Amino acid sequence: MKFKKLMLKAFGPFTDCDIDLENDGEADGLHVIYGPNEGGKSSTLRAISAMLFGIERSPQDNFIHDNPQLRVGAEISNAGESIAFLRKKGNRATLLSAKDGEVLDDNCLNSHLNGATKEMFFQEHAIDHDQLLAGGKALMANKGDVGQSLFSAGHGVVNLQNLVDKLQTGADALYTARKKKEGIPALIKEYKDIKKDEKTVSISTSQWTKIDKEYRNAEGRSAEVSKQRKTLEQEKNRLEALERTIPLIINRAHLLETLEEFADFTPVAMDVRERRKDIEAKITNIEEAISKEQIDIDSTEKQIAKITIPDGLLDNSSSINEIHQRLGSYKDAKNDKIGLESEKLSIENLINELLNDIETGLRLEEAQRFKLKSAERSEISELSEQFVEVESALKNSNVQLKKLKTKRTINEKALAELETAKEIGLLKRELGNVTRKGDLQVKLKKDEAQLNTKKKQLLNDYKQLGFKLTEVEEVSSIKVPKSSNIKVFQTKFGELKGELGKESDNANRFEEEIGKLKEALQKSSIASEEFGKEDLASARQQRQTGWKAVLSSWLEGKEPDKFDPEYLNGLPLQAAYERDLNKADHIADKRFDNAEAIAKVDNSTQLLEAAKSNLASTNEKMESLEVEQDALQERWLSLWKETGVDADNPEAMLQWLSRLEMTNDKSRDLQDLQTDCEQQKVEVSTCTKRLLKAINELSSEDFGSDDLNELVTYSGELVENNERLQSERRRLENQLHEISEDETLQRENVREQEKALEQWESRWKTLIVKHGFKADETTKVVTGILEQSREIFAKESDLNDKLARIEQIGNANESFEKELTTLLELAAPDLVGISPIEASSKLHEIFEKAKSDRTEKKALQEVLTKNDITLKQEKAALSGFENSLEKLCQQQGCASSDELRIREGKSDEFRELKSKISNVEEKLISTGRGNLEEIIKAAEGSILEDVESDLIDIKGSFETSEIDKSEIDQEIGLRRSQLSEIDGSDNAAKLADEAEVLITRLQKQSAEYITLTIALKILNEEIESFRKENETPLLTRANELFPQLTQNSFAGLEISYEGDEPMLVGVRQNGRHVPPEGMSDGTRDQMFLALRLAALEIGIEGAEPLPFIVDDILIQFDDDRARATLRVLKEVSKKTQILFFTHQARHVELVNEIGGIPVYELPDREMISVG
Amino acid sequence: MSTYKFLHAADLHIDSPLRGLDKYDGAPVDEIRGATRAALENLVSLAIEEKVEFVILAGDIYDGTWPDHNTGLYFISQMTALKQAGINVYIVSGNHDAESKITKKLRYPDNVTVFPSKKPKTIKNDELEYSIHGQSFADSSVSENLAVGYPTPTKNHINIGILHTSVDGREGHANYAPCTLRDLTDKGYDYWALGHIHKREVLSEDPYVIFPGNIQGRHARETGKKGCTLVSVNDGNIVAIEHRDLDVLRWFGCEVDASGLSTRQEVLDEISLRIEKIVDDNPDMILALRVRLVGNSEAHYEIVRDKENFFNDCCAIGLGISNSIWVEKIEHKTTTVIESTGVAMDKEILSGIQERANQRADSEEALALLTEELSDFHKRLPPELLKLEGDDSLNDSVAIKRFIMDAKDLISSHLADGASQ
């Protein structure tokens, strides 16, 4: 198939853009389609995909034309048939005839595309820059694996290794025989574990039946034991009842006997004892109370008698209280007065001191003249402050003036001492020139060092090559044999070696054959008995000789003893003839019998002879060849004699030659370096001279060194020093100018400030004289006096306050003392005459004592009254109780209370007996069964000892049955719990569900594993098969293309068998092999391209080929390689149409240089951004 | 004349696990545990709700080889629930029950009658005027025609025959207790309650001869609704039969034709539509779906290149539609447009692979060799795992052939894409 025309009707940036690829009715060959902007080119490529395989569902090429308007098509020709179509967007019926717009069958392109899908078309019939790079990388990833490399290139599958790895990794992840804890083996283990659990939790029917049966058995036994126990329990109960009743019955009989002793006795009423005891207790209590009461009354009366109260005190109680209250104030006032008087004295002293301070002997009254008004005071203080300001400003200006003067002196001195600078313009220029050239001398030294090292290395290299040299230069005089010459020797040696090898093989073969034949003959038993053909012939010959002898004796009458004695061997003639006859017959017979074996032996013998002769001739040949070889070797060595090199074989010497070539290359490099060094030396010396000249102009002194580095450093210092001197001079001159300006300014200031001070002094004098100060008083003195006077006036007012208070206190104390004396005379005359404070507090003390005595006496009198009343009441109660007791005795017919007590005792005994009998009977009824009579009857005839012994027996039986029952109950419990565990749960079923999930997963993964394994197998087989089929033609063609593409940097491609596996390698012009990983990226890409193009050519042989689309593969190629590639493409395009897309103008220029290639330029239109 | 209802069910296979479901995130795992039990509980509830007179179970209550006696005890507990509601149960044992060890030792409550296996027996109810005839399987494979020996019908009674049989032989089921439909219709009974065939089927309506199907589908070949048949008797006549669903998880096959769909996404969209339809038809039901992709499609390679991923996408689609959907499996039966065009692809990349794969698949020798090469792997798998759906086995030539075709698709799909992804 070929494109005759591309029709970009409405697609991407294109509107009605047709690209006509026909040239004189032919569309073959290479077509370059140039899109000056990348977008236009990409759109065209997408257009090709769209026209052949349909417009994408969400196209990016609808930014000018809406989806329904998109149209793109082509006119194609295939095997003479031509079709022109347009493609629109949609799912079905997207192909239209370009002629009339009729809908075409969607599949009508399939046959023209050889059934290729879009992916396959762009994979096998297109290559872009990315694929080229990926292809190159794949070659490296394959490590030259021949099968994969050829398959990848052959089909444009750039990432085959990836697919192989993916399949292998997928399979390994699922299963490898080694890994047991991952993938499928892990799942199997999980599955087996679940199955095991399932078995554990599931209960078989037989297990269940067994447990159920044992449960039922135990239930049966349990019922039986229960029945036995019931009988035993009844008997036990009966005996236990008897054991309890028999002692009770005996006890009852004894009690009844005792009761008979109380036959006619009537007991006293039950409450008599209580009543008697109650009355007697009450009497005793009352008697005790009366005696206690009497003691209390006596003691109270004694206490009252002890209390006495003085007269007159209590009557003046209110006056006494008042005086006592005022006592505190009196005491305080007295103390205050003392303090005030001392303060008064100290103030008076202070005032006198202050007055004396102003003026000795100054009195308070005289000082009154300093009492100034507030306005007057502030006027004075204002003037004082002004004085400070004016005076300090004047002082400051004078100081500044002085400082300036000092500064000026210093600067003037420095300027006078400063050195004069020199003219350094020339030196600076020369120095700049040297500096710009860099560190000349260092570089020179480094290069010289390198030169020496390299020279030594080179000399060493030559020595390693076998030359005997002392200087490298000697090599140029040595003449080395040419490679063509060596190759002649190589061929000759090769031929000789080949022939020798062949002959040696022959010799070996013959020797082997001889050995085998000998062995075979030895093995044959017949051979040892000499039944060979020659044996028979010689026997017959002998026989013939004998026969002739017999005939001659017989016919000619020759004497038998005249015959050859050796023949006769001591026998008569007939016997000798008979011997020979027999021998010949025997050999013939034997040969006949062993015909087959003998034939073999005969044959072997013949072969042996032939082999021996062959061996001899071969050895001869070999000898002559060896002679020839020795001669050749001699010539070979003589060829090398002149060089002084020990020659190895020609192959090695060819390699040696290429090594020598490389070394010579190095030697040439070395010469360049040397020239370079010399140039540098000249430059250093020029620079040195010029610098020295510049220095000399500045100084007449000889510098003393011509080292460039030292000169540069020195010049730098010179320049720097002179520049520094110049700038220092400028600085000092400026400063002096500034100082003299400042001095003028300061002098003006001083004059103004002196004037202001004079004005102030006249104002000050006027003011202080007005207020009584001396005219020459300073501001400090005046303000000091004013300050002190203000303090004196403050103290004066304080003193007046104190005097007033002292008078007040004196009056109040006098009135208190008068009142106290009056009161004492009235209430406590004893206290008159002692000090007011002591008298007042003693009076208060005796007054308080009188008050508390009066209260106590009153309380005691009230107690006494109450006690008298109680005593009277108790005595009346006592006589009442005594009457009651007497009455009770009379009622019970007793004369005294003692008699009554005796009767009470007997009544108690009687009642106790009755109660015991009734108790025993109650116990009998409660322990036995039935009524009293029945119980007594049941025990009749029973002896307690017998009952007890029977009971022990029965209890024993009962305990035994208890153990049985417990055992059975345990068994029932166990079985019941086992049965209850089997509750119809679905635990096992759930595990079966889980196992089923795992089975599903395992089967899924197993299927996946098997599929992957088979896929790997098929893929590898296919790769291998492709290799076998295509290796030779593909490599043959690639071998031609690769040198072209690499501009003969490589001689071709080859399969190398050097490693473990055959490997695809590049071959250098010198025959060296370079594996893909040893190539540069660019070369590897070219290797892929060579293979790819070779495969393309082979693939299209015989079939109508599809066009090949090449998209910008030259992006990273330099012009030479790009040109080479374009030439190769042009060559390949003789077999199939190639559309070459580029967006680089440079490539178009190269195409035009080559010539004969049509170029189509796409319209250069501004792209509309589609985001 | 009497009026009542009864239920007819068969093939309970209690505790038989659901097959072919692989767990994945979001799959309704808990909901499907014990599905057969849940279905039986639905049956008991239905019987009590409908106040039926009796329940007929026409064989295969248990899975033959299932060993756990708990299953039997669980069944008794359900029968006891029916007893408490006053409902009788009539059972014939099927081939599985006969094989099961559980059956022999169970003591059913007295509302349950299991028919004897030596000869047929008739249970009569003169009050409601019905007679039930039945005979159990004596062992796991009964080859004689049991129907022939069933008693003559009781006069003026509704006569019901219970029989575990495959009637004329049914595909996929062992031909046990064979008989013809004629044998049954000629007997003069009113209703034949059959069991053994897991698919619901009404063989005849006069008289009724009915397979109710099993009560819970257990794998992808037991598709559709599963349950029992509710029979109404009015004045001594069967007036209505009604199928009632009991299943808790339903299996469906979902065939999707990918012809004309050109991308993987379009195929997924189509699957989504189909699943939505099935969900609409079966609301509130857990569904296990097997998607079968057929047709000649441009998207073929895009799909088979990563089947696992495609499966995951389908699962996600299912979960997106309903959280009760379990995508069981995807059967890849699509073909590629490329292969089908028949256009010769001389020296093209895929033809070699395809030819090689086809050759292997078609040659008995090659298959045998491949099987031998895989045998080490096969030996590692527990034997029960080798067995696949139907009669296939993981290591037989049919399966290997299929794997070869899958392998072919896998390589082709990558190569057709430049193997660059």
Side-chain angles (χ1 to χ4, degrees), chain A residues 300-320:
Chain A
T300 309
E301 280 170 346
K302 271 178 198 162
Q303 280 174 20
I304 292 170
K306 270 181 195 164
I307 297 169
T308 52
I309 299 166
D311 300 328
L313 254 181
L314 293 173
D315 300 337
N316 288 305
S317 66
S318 70
S319 302
I320 293 170

Side-chain angles (χ1 to χ4, degrees), chain A residues 5-55:
Chain A
K5 190 193 271 179
L6 305 177
M7 297 184 281
L8 315 174
K9 294 291 180 202
F11 192 84
F14 306 114
T15 310
D16 278 331
C17 173
D18 284 2
I19 300 173
D20 197 344
L21 302 174
E22 259 181 325
N23 187 10
D24 297 335
E26 290 300 324
D28 290 332
L30 175 61
H31 301 266
V32 173
I33 298 173
Y34 166 59
N37 88 30
E38 168 70 27
K41 190 205 68 176
S42 309
S43 297
T44 317
L45 280 163
R46 277 200 301 282
I48 289 178
S49 164
M51 65 180 73
L52 296 179
F53 303 102
I55 299 174

Side-chain angles (χ1 to χ4, degrees), chain A residues 57 123 191 203 212 1021, chain B residues 69 107 266 360 384 387 418:
Chain A
R57 213 157 254 264
Q123 183 176 303
Y191 167 75
I203 298 291
D212 187 55
E1021 281 174 7
Chain B
H69 197 75
R107 286 185 298 270
E266 284 176 30
R360 268 183 182 276
E384 64 267 34
K387 204 186 155 328

Side-chain angles (χ1 to χ4, degrees), chain A residues 608-628:
Chain A
L608 184 61
E609 288 311 314
K612 278 178 180 166
S613 126
N614 284 340
L615 180 59
S617 95
T618 305
N619 281 337
E620 253 169 57
K621 268 189 206 161
M622 274 171 73
E623 272 166 30
S624 99
L625 282 171
E626 273 162 7
V627 168
E628 208 177 319

Side-chain angles (χ1 to χ4, degrees), chain A residues 1143-1157:
Chain A
H1143 77 284
Q1144 296 197 329
R1146 178 67 192 141
H1147 294 156
V1148 175
E1149 282 169 27
L1150 293 177
V1151 168
N1152 289 333
E1153 262 176 48
I1154 293 167
I1157 304 169

